[in-house]
Amino acid sequence: MTDHNADLVIRAAAVHTLVPGQAPQRALAVRGDRIAALSSDPNGLDHWVGARTTVHDLPGATVLPAFDDTHTHLTYAGYGGHDVPVHQARTLPEFLDLIRQRAKTTPEGQWIRTTTNWQELNLAERRMPTAAELDQATDRHPVLVKRGGHNDVVNTYALRLAGITEDTPVPPGGVIGRDADGRLNGRLVDNALSLVEHLFPAPDRAQRIDGLRLASSQYAATGIGTVRDCAVSPDEYATLLAAREAGALSTRVRALISAIGLTSAAQVEDLLDAMADWHYSADPWLRVWGVKFLLDGGLEAGATEEPYACDHAFSGTLTWEPDALVEAVEAVVRRGWRVGTHAYGDRAVRILLDVYERVLERNPGLPAGTLVMEHGGLAGPEQRARAVALGIPVTIQQPLLHDTAEVELGFWGPERVAALFPARGWLDQGALVAAGSDFPVGQFGAMRSVWGMTTRQTVIGVQGPQHAITYDEALALHTTRAARLLGEDHLRGTLTPGRLADLTIWDQDPAHCPSDALRDLNPTHTLVGGLLVTPAI
């Protein structure tokens, strides 16, 4: 092959480069892992074709950049490949029977864990199981039922192993659930999760790699070429490294190492020591992006300025004291890492901006994008303006709102649910905002997210239509703006010569797809670094 030959040439109806003002192109050439050339003439790159060039004539196809999911949990998805698939259940008896069936093939005393991507309101009984009900499924195994990243329910066996009794102190920023009679019901929330989860044995490394192989291919099949994996333990990152070495990753991964459950700067310093060898990775497929903090709870415990609709004595939970979080964040940025902090309720958003402002004042000259707000769910106009003035980017997750709107309605009431993830406001106020799914709470998928941001549709109908954005704006939140937030806009986000050949091929132009079909539209193929990571064309 000569220096003038491409490895791949694609001829299509339209190649949308996402370069402002550039008309759709008709041909694209790839050499190695980079885009080599484009042409507005479908035959304009014929001189790049040699004996070893693969040529694909796709006269009806549309080519777009591959998407970024800027806030998701690939590692959780990887575990889910081998966990009890309770997300398939529609009733609590079905839910419990799935656990009962797994218990029959699991040696006594070994842990049983469930998938995390389910919502109790999707069950006929519209509630979570209790420890007593899990005991009916099995009292000979410790059972860990996970729902998203903030909630666990465990059986009596697991409570006993963890030494949790009715006298166990509740960790700050956590909840140990009780029933109406004050007895333990197996529920654990936020900082109480670690009371049990530290006992769960790490799955076999080969099993975890296989789970990542399956999960990353599922992301890629929806058009996602890069994931920002937002709560990865050091051990889980070591598994990601092994998966990369084994060729098991179908997406690029930018990992946020989890500081969730930590409560002091000293503990964070220990975490940073464990991360030291990962600082200078040049691997374009896998690297550490920074450190993930959790400031408030999720759906049931986001910290709000006004009390909850369901409990006028409750305004959510903060998992850090602000002064302690300032010290912890400073420890991270002084080591040259970036920070992403979960702030969901409006009180958490305000406090996080207070924290970030203090960190910026005490550490002048931090690179742009060092401090990121994850979610910013209830960020109102005043706090959005503060974030823009401070240069704080934000990630939003419309699929999370879609799937959980009914849950949140019960906790926060209709006005606050309609105000969640105000994409229109963020853009109009000049913020750097990028989009993701927050799987396993929201469903991942390139066009599922775009559809949600353009329609504001949820499981209970349209919520907050004034916050809808256009198709082109939504596309940018997963491509050009996402690459900028990750600090990789010189490498990805647009289809231009010299940038990485991360692209998606669609059998129709999503821009002209009827809204009701856009939600479930997937590309026919996804390429990452010029490599086909979905079935062959």
Side-chain angles (χ1 to χ4, degrees):
M1 184 167 62
T2 72
D3 288 345
H4 299 289
N5 291 157
D7 297 309
L8 172 67
V9 169
I10 298 172
R11 303 180 184 123
V15 178
H16 295 293
T17 66
L18 302 193
V19 174
Q22 186 173 55
Q25 304 293 290
R26 295 293 307 280
L28 177 147
V30 175
R31 225 171 155 264
D33 66 350
R34 305 279 173 149
I35 296 169
L38 294 116
S39 175
S40 58
D41 179 348
N43 299 114
L45 301 181
D46 287 359
H47 61 286
W48 284 87
V49 176
R52 301 183 185 179
T53 305
T54 300
V55 179
H56 294 300
D57 281 302
L58 304 169
T62 293
V63 179
L64 290 168
F67 280 49
D68 285 20
D69 188 328
T70 63
H71 187 112
T72 193
H73 298 280
L74 173 68
T75 299
Y76 288 4
Y79 286 131
H82 301 287
D83 290 334
V84 181
V86 295
H87 60 280
Q88 299 173 359
R90 292 294 172 262
T91 67
L92 274 174
E94 290 178 8
F95 191 106
L96 297 170
D97 191 57
L98 287 166
I99 296 171
R100 186 176 296 111
Q101 295 305 316
R102 178 63 61 89
K104 291 179 180 179
T105 61
T106 303
E108 290 186 12
Q110 289 191 11
W111 282 83
I112 293 172
R113 183 171 63 180
T114 72
T115 51
T116 62
N117 54 320
W118 61 278
Q119 295 292 328
E120 63 270 24
L121 291 186
N122 290 333
L123 298 172
E125 295 81 2
R126 300 172 64 81
R127 64 173 177 82
M128 292 185 177
T130 65
E133 288 170 327
L134 295 176
D135 293 344
Q136 294 171 18
T138 177
D139 59 2
R140 299 186 177 187
H141 306 80
V143 176
L144 173 60
V145 172
K146 291 195 63 65
R147 201 266 272 144
H150 297 265
N151 291 267
D152 290 347
V153 185
V154 299
N155 66 349
T156 301
Y157 195 129
L159 289 171
R160 186 169 62 249
L161 278 182
I164 298 174
T165 70
E166 293 179 0
D167 298 322
T168 298
V170 178
V175 174
I176 298 176
R178 296 174 182 268
D179 62 22
D181 296 324
R183 294 174 299 212
L184 298 177
N185 64 6
R187 180 87 177 274
L188 302 170
V189 180
D190 288 324
N191 282 357
L193 303 182
S194 61
L195 296 176
V196 165
E197 290 195 4
H198 76 281
L199 297 172
F200 190 87
D204 173 82
R205 175 66 62 85
Q207 186 182 50
R208 285 193 285 172
I209 290 173
D210 185 62
L212 288 167
R213 185 191 307 276
L214 175 64
S216 63
S217 68
Q218 291 170 338
Y219 275 83
T222 75
I224 295 167
T226 298
V227 299
R228 190 163 167 267
D229 195 353
C230 286
V232 179
S233 72
D235 180 65
E236 288 165 343
Y237 189 68
T239 301
L240 282 165
L241 288 168
R244 165 65 174 140
E245 181 69 21
L249 297 179
S250 295
T251 64
R252 303 186 193 278
V253 180
R254 305 295 179 254
L256 276 70
I257 304 302
S258 176
I260 296 171
L262 306 185
T263 56
S264 71
Q267 292 174 318
V268 172
E269 293 280 10
D270 291 340
L271 177 67
L272 295 168
D273 289 342
M275 295 169 55
D277 291 341
W278 302 329
H279 213 320
Y280 301 106
S281 170
D283 186 349
W285 279 78
L286 174 64
R287 62 180 64 133
V288 174
W289 183 90
V291 174
K292 165 73 175 293
F293 288 95
L294 184 78
L295 179 55
D296 68 336
L299 308 181
E300 307 87 354
T304 54
E305 302 284 12
E306 299 296 328
Y308 276 37
C310 62
D311 183 352
H312 292 173
F314 184 63
S315 297
T317 303
L318 292 174
T319 59
W320 278 86
E321 291 295 328
D323 289 347
L325 185 57
V326 170
E327 298 297 327
V329 171
E330 279 197 298
V332 176
V333 300
R334 287 174 177 171
R335 299 257 199 135
W337 292 109
R338 291 171 288 193
V339 171
T341 303
H342 167 117
Y344 198 65
D346 48 359
R347 179 161 58 103
V349 168
R350 173 176 57 80
I351 292 171
L352 178 61
L353 292 175
D354 292 343
V355 168
Y356 278 176
E357 186 170 18
R358 291 171 61 188
V359 172
L360 290 167
E361 288 173 350
R362 291 163 58 164
N363 298 270
L366 284 180
T370 295
L371 306 175
V372 173
M373 180 189 300
E374 310 295 334
H375 308 306
L378 277 183
E382 179 181 351
Q383 300 305 343
R384 295 197 299 265
R386 284 188 69 200
V388 172
L390 292 170
I392 304 301
V394 62
T395 66
I396 62 173
Q397 300 78 34
Q398 187 69 29
L400 184 157
L401 174 59
H402 178 276
D403 287 7
T404 65
E406 188 173 8
V407 178
E408 298 187 78
L409 188 67
F411 287 110
W412 285 2
E415 289 186 6
R416 283 183 283 192
V417 171
L420 279 166
F421 302 120
R424 178 78 275 148
W426 281 115
L427 289 176
D428 288 350
Q429 290 181 258
L432 173 53
V433 55
S437 64
D438 201 24
F439 181 88
V441 189
Q443 296 183 58
F444 60 79
M447 288 303 162
R448 172 174 288 272
S449 178
V450 168
W451 168 81
M453 288 188 285
T454 58
T455 65
R456 295 286 295 187
Q457 187 64 250
T458 76
V459 292
I460 55 171
V462 172
Q463 300 292 312
Q466 70 272 24
H467 299 304
I469 59 177
T470 69
Y471 168 84
D472 288 339
E473 289 170 329
L475 202 64
L477 264 60
H478 280 288
T479 53
T480 54
R481 285 176 168 267
R484 183 179 161 203
L485 183 140
L486 267 70
E488 299 181 22
D489 48 327
H490 62 298
L491 292 173
R492 302 185 298 102
T494 58
L495 300 180
T496 53
R499 280 176 166 75
L500 291 166
D502 293 7
L503 53 96
T504 52
I505 302 172
W506 308 76
D507 61 7
Q508 59 183 301
D509 191 334
H512 305 301
C513 182
S515 177
D516 58 352
L518 185 63
R519 181 190 66 180
D520 299 316
L521 185 67
N522 286 328
T524 55
H525 302 91
T526 300
L527 290 88
V528 178
L531 299 174
L532 194 64
V533 292
T534 53
I537 298 175

